[in-house]
Amino acid sequence: MKKLVMVACCSLLALSSRAALFITNNTGCDVYVLIQAHDANHGTCLMQSNRFLVAAGTSQAYNNVTSLNTSPGWQNGPAVVAGSGWDSALFGGASLGGNLGPNCGGTTSITIVNGCGTSTVQADWTAIGANTLIDFN
């Protein structure tokens, strides 16, 4: 049900020129995420956010790439400017693992065996218009 609500929100926001990012964590464990993006001054996959937590059973939404400028911020450069887009996500538990997303050498679907303790985690990247949904199950 949570995924259906997020897809509906993405669909409504697709009418906007801004590209939103929705992350849902439907697992029983915390997931750490690092987002890769680009803007008018940095090519595809050159901007990397600081690592941030998506707690078990929660979701997070970002209006556009510039909304990560303050928190969690970017590791390798100034704030992202106009002309930006989402490229990829690295994720995992205590350490980063899978590369999820159509750019940066990743894929749109990854299965991580024992990704949540002894449970398998399925991660999916879905583009809906200009918006992106990252779903952990």
Side-chain angles (χ1 to χ4, degrees), residues 106-130:
T107 181
T108 58
S109 185
I110 296 176
T111 302
I112 305 291
V113 177
N114 299 328
C116 187
T118 58
S119 301
T120 297
V121 174
Q122 175 69 37
D124 297 296
W125 175 290
T126 306
I128 303 169

Side-chain angles (χ1 to χ4, degrees), residues 63-113:
N63 191 31
N64 56 50
V65 177
T66 62
S67 51
L68 273 71
N69 284 348
T70 305
S71 178
W74 299 98
Q75 292 180 19
N76 55 334
V80 171
V81 297
S84 57
W86 309 107
D87 293 326
S88 181
L90 300 172
F91 66 93
S95 63
L96 294 173
N99 186 355
L100 183 67
N103 300 314
C104 313
T107 181
T108 58
S109 185
I110 296 176
T111 302
I112 305 291
V113 177

Side-chain angles (χ1 to χ4, degrees), residues 5-25:
V5 170
M6 296 306 272
V7 168
C9 289
C10 282
S11 297
L12 289 174
L13 290 171
L15 301 174
S16 166
S17 63
R18 297 181 176 210
L21 173 66
F22 299 93
I23 304 171
T24 61
N25 181 359

